Amino acid sequence: MYNVTNFCKNNFLLCVCTGGLAVIGYLGYHTVRQIINGFLNIEIVKHVAQKIFKNYPDKDKKTHLEHTVTPIITSSSSSPSSSNSSKITAAQISSVSLYDIRQASDLEISPGKITAGQGEYIVFHQLPNGKKQEVSSQTFEAVYQLIIQHSPAELAKDGNPEAAANCANRYTLLKTKIKEIDNSLEIVFIPKTLYELFFIEECIKEDLAHGNVCKNLDKSVQYAAHYPTDNKLDSAEKRKAENNKKLFEENRVKRNCWHLCIFEDAGDNHHAGVKNVAYRLNNLLFNTLKPTNEGFTYEQIKTFAERKIDFLKQHRENNLNESTRCNIFKGRVIVSNKDYPSPTTNFGTDSSRVAKPMSICNNRVAQIIRDAVALDCSKIALHSLFLYRGANFANDSVVSSGEENMPHSLSLGSGLFAGCLYDPDATAFYYMRNDKNDAFAIPVPYDQLQTSPFYAPIAHTIAQLYGRGELFHGRTKAWKNCDLSKIERVDNGNSNNHYHSRDHLKSDYTKNELKSEFMRYKAGAIRLKA
């Protein structure tokens, strides 16, 4: 009921210095809170939770209600059309404490092999002689199309009423289709956070092997390679753009580069660079993890994630130790570049002067990653998309704190590390690791993606890692008939002058309905660090 073990681990010094009084205080607080809640109308909680997670198959409803903690609040509408239901007042929004919501490490995870959740799939051959073999690029191309077609985003497209059931059954649906290509093919689920960590490690290893940050991380190089040259440029600027195109191709070949695209929009699953990286990651994961036909248990997945955390910890230590840096990098001070900070730079330093620091500087930061992996593998992940955020949980609101009639759009990550290459300012983990911020995720059921108060991007994990701007990550929407140009906290464009339209932030909710709906989803949020 109370996670005393986690409390002691995360507050070890406090427990020792107070002679155990801190533990007694922790237990006392939660006991009193439980007693108080016992006198309140718990049926209202169930009613609200059912509306948040409506339309699940009967066999799964209990699971979601058990693992979505909702405070005692009045019921509200679950769609814009339900305007006659009672609404949650603005004052109640601030009444939800971070400690009224569930922690990721306490969520129920299916026993045995994890075959579905929030994440991707890797594919390989299981040969008749018992040996396993990686797939060719041609085979992967055919399988990749099926993976995209059976992604939660596609299964939930256009408000499909069977979205929740289909997403929960994704593994079986996908495996059946893949067997039609080749009966020897097998698929294994990889949690999204672990998938991202493998990609990040490869980006860092590339830079370390060459002793410098890849110049393809320079956004001007990416723009030259992937966007048409502006005819308005003068001759010198056009020559620079052409040179950047050549530089991109040289780095791609010479370094077997991982930095193959950049997206100003929501991302393109069919971009050649995305498919190239997906194929390379697929075979890397296969050869590294050596999967069985059924996949991995949660205990195995935790072990894999811990190895990635250890790599990032060591990367930080190497960069902080000057003598080690000199030995590894032949006298160079550090493998970094403040002009275009890469994962190598950002995960290798605690300093905000040269980077957007994402280093694993203590166990509390590492716990964010562990909790995200748990979330990916939880039963909630069978039916819901997670939107990640690092901020002051209690203060989050869809209305400007300075102007009541101005919508405030909150930025949420579509993955823990989405945007970490070109837009670390929009990467959830960057904010979550800040001691001043809370770390949490908001689950949005797949059958509510079209009607929720959130814009939720649905591109492949790799496409989101390459994202930049306002369209690759999640956001809260604005109420109907408001002036979209007045939405607070949304950029209009970027240094490359690509304007970000705000049409994706429109909703059919009135102002009060939007506040009410946001409150309900916020009440179902999940903590990612103690």
Side-chain angles (χ1 to χ4, degrees):
M1 182 168 57
Y2 311 138
N3 200 328
V4 178
T5 302
N6 275 357
F7 177 82
C8 292
K9 285 181 180 178
N10 295 319
N11 300 275
F12 178 74
L13 290 178
L14 178 63
C15 293
V16 172
C17 293
T18 60
L21 290 177
V23 177
I24 295 173
Y26 170 83
L27 291 171
Y29 165 76
H30 285 282
T31 301
V32 171
R33 192 179 70 179
Q34 185 182 20
I35 292 171
I36 293 172
N37 284 346
F39 289 101
L40 298 174
N41 186 358
I42 301 303
E43 287 304 310
I44 296 179
V45 176
K46 293 180 180 178
H47 179 67
V48 176
Q50 286 167 351
K51 286 199 170 188
I52 295 177
F53 295 100
K54 65 187 178 75
N55 296 332
Y56 288 122
D58 291 340
K59 65 183 179 67
D60 293 316
K61 278 184 179 177
K62 186 172 183 291
T63 297
H64 283 270
L65 296 181
E66 285 176 348
H67 300 292
T68 304
V69 178
T70 309
I72 308 301
I73 51 179
T74 58
S75 63
S76 69
S77 65
S78 59
S79 66
S81 60
S82 304
S83 57
N84 294 327
S85 300
S86 57
K87 301 296 188 293
I88 300 169
T89 66
Q92 287 174 303
I93 291 179
S94 61
S95 68
V96 182
S97 163
L98 182 72
Y99 296 98
D100 287 327
I101 64 175
R102 194 68 177 266
Q103 188 163 336
S105 56
D106 293 331
L107 296 178
E108 183 179 354
I109 295 172
S110 299
K113 304 295 178 69
I114 307 296
T115 59
Q118 179 146 302
E120 305 294 345
Y121 285 93
I122 60 172
V123 60
F124 58 93
H125 291 284
Q126 175 67 59
L127 303 178
N129 62 6
K131 293 184 177 180
K132 297 178 176 61
Q133 179 180 297
E134 66 181 40
V135 296
S136 67
S137 58
Q138 292 81 4
T139 299
F140 182 79
E141 174 76 24
V143 172
Y144 178 79
Q145 301 306 319
L146 289 175
I147 290 174
I148 296 301
Q149 291 169 18
H150 289 79
S151 66
E154 287 298 318
L155 294 175
K157 200 172 182 179
D158 302 324
N160 182 357
E162 302 298 320
N166 289 340
C167 290
N169 199 36
R170 182 164 59 123
Y171 172 76
T172 302
L173 295 173
L174 182 56
K175 187 170 182 175
T176 300
K177 286 294 183 180
I178 284 175
K179 290 289 185 180
E180 295 176 7
I181 297 175
D182 186 330
N183 196 49
S184 71
L185 291 173
E186 298 289 345
I187 56 171
V188 167
F189 172 75
I190 300 294
K192 182 167 188 165
T193 305
L194 181 61
Y195 193 83
E196 291 176 318
L197 288 170
F198 265 88
F199 173 83
I200 289 166
E201 181 173 317
E202 291 308 303
C203 289
I204 293 173
K205 285 181 175 178
E206 176 194 329
D207 289 345
L208 298 185
H210 291 84
N212 56 63
V213 171
C214 180
K215 292 185 178 179
N216 282 1
L217 276 160
D218 185 337
K219 289 183 282 289
S220 63
V221 174
Q222 288 288 338
Y223 291 141
H226 299 296
Y227 289 91
T229 302
D230 191 342
N231 290 327
K232 296 179 181 179
L233 297 178
D234 60 32
S235 57
E237 290 172 324
K238 286 182 179 179
R239 282 196 302 272
K240 183 178 180 180
E242 288 302 314
N243 289 335
N244 279 337
K245 285 183 183 179
K246 293 177 182 178
L247 178 62
F248 172 85
E249 189 60 23
E250 288 172 2
N251 285 327
R252 185 187 69 80
V253 175
K254 180 180 177 181
R255 299 171 63 114
N256 197 21
C257 180
W258 289 89
H259 318 103
L260 299 185
C261 38
I262 188 171
F263 295 114
E264 300 284 346
D265 53 18
D268 180 3
N269 293 335
H270 302 288
H271 188 285
V274 172
K275 291 191 288 186
N276 176 287
V277 169
Y279 173 61
R280 290 160 62 190
L281 268 183
N282 181 88
N283 287 347
L284 173 70
L285 285 157
F286 165 72
N287 289 306
T288 303
L289 303 182
K290 304 186 185 310
T292 62
N293 293 7
E294 298 81 16
F296 304 110
T297 65
Y298 178 56
E299 291 302 316
Q300 289 175 305
I301 288 169
K302 285 199 297 183
T303 300
F304 301 149
E306 207 61 40
R307 291 173 188 166
K308 299 301 153 188
I309 292 172
D310 288 342
F311 171 84
L312 293 176
K313 286 180 177 178
Q314 189 60 54
H315 175 59
R316 172 180 176 269
E317 289 299 315
N318 290 343
N319 282 343
L320 293 178
N321 186 312
E322 185 173 354
S323 62
T324 303
R325 288 202 306 268
C326 291
N327 289 334
I328 293 177
F329 309 129
K330 301 176 182 178
R332 294 183 178 89
V333 175
I334 190 172
V335 175
S336 70
N337 192 312
K338 65 182 179 62
D339 295 324
Y340 40 93
S342 65
T344 305
T345 307
N346 292 336
F347 285 92
T349 180
D350 303 337
S351 172
S352 59
R353 290 178 296 176
V354 297
K356 298 295 181 182
M358 299 186 206
S359 61
I360 313 301
C361 55
N362 56 48
N363 189 60
R364 199 158 182 251
V365 172
Q367 191 61 39
I368 296 171
I369 298 176
R370 297 183 188 112
D371 284 349
V373 172
L375 199 57
D376 290 337
C377 299
S378 69
K379 288 188 175 181
I380 297 178
L382 295 174
H383 305 281
S384 298
L385 172 77
F386 298 113
L387 295 175
Y388 298 86
R389 182 162 168 80
N392 185 309
F393 180 80
N395 291 345
D396 270 357
S397 172
V398 293
V399 180
S400 170
S401 59
E403 174 53 61
E404 178 65 22
N405 292 319
M406 179 183 292
H408 180 95
S409 182
L410 302 169
S411 175
L412 302 106
S414 49
L416 199 63
F417 300 108
C420 68
L421 266 72
Y422 304 111
D423 203 350
D425 273 335
T427 300
F429 184 72
Y430 168 65
Y431 295 95
M432 287 177 166
R433 66 184 294 283
N434 188 324
D435 286 339
K436 296 179 181 179
N437 289 336
D438 302 315
F440 54 96
I442 297 178
V444 181
Y446 288 121
D447 57 358
Q448 297 177 33
L449 287 178
Q450 307 300 319
T451 58
S452 79
F454 303 97
Y455 162 70
I458 53 179
H460 189 278
T461 300
I462 291 172
Q464 292 176 353
L465 288 165
Y466 289 122
R468 183 171 187 259
E470 292 294 352
L471 297 176
F472 80 90
H473 61 86
R475 275 199 173 277
T476 54
K477 293 182 178 179
W479 54 83
K480 64 181 179 182
N481 300 326
C482 75
D483 185 349
L484 294 179
S485 68
K486 302 294 185 182
I487 301 176
E488 191 175 54
R489 303 297 294 173
V490 181
D491 290 339
N492 287 328
N494 57 54
S495 58
N496 204 46
N497 296 321
H498 291 107
Y499 176 75
H500 297 306
S501 170
R502 298 182 176 188
D503 289 344
H504 62 296
L505 299 181
K506 290 179 180 178
S507 83
D508 292 326
Y509 293 107
T510 66
K511 179 180 174 182
N512 285 337
E513 286 174 336
L514 183 71
K515 290 159 64 177
S516 174
E517 287 297 281
F518 173 68
M519 173 61 182
R520 295 198 304 110
Y521 283 89
K522 181 180 176 181
I526 301 163
R527 282 186 287 148
L528 268 74
K529 67 179 178 183

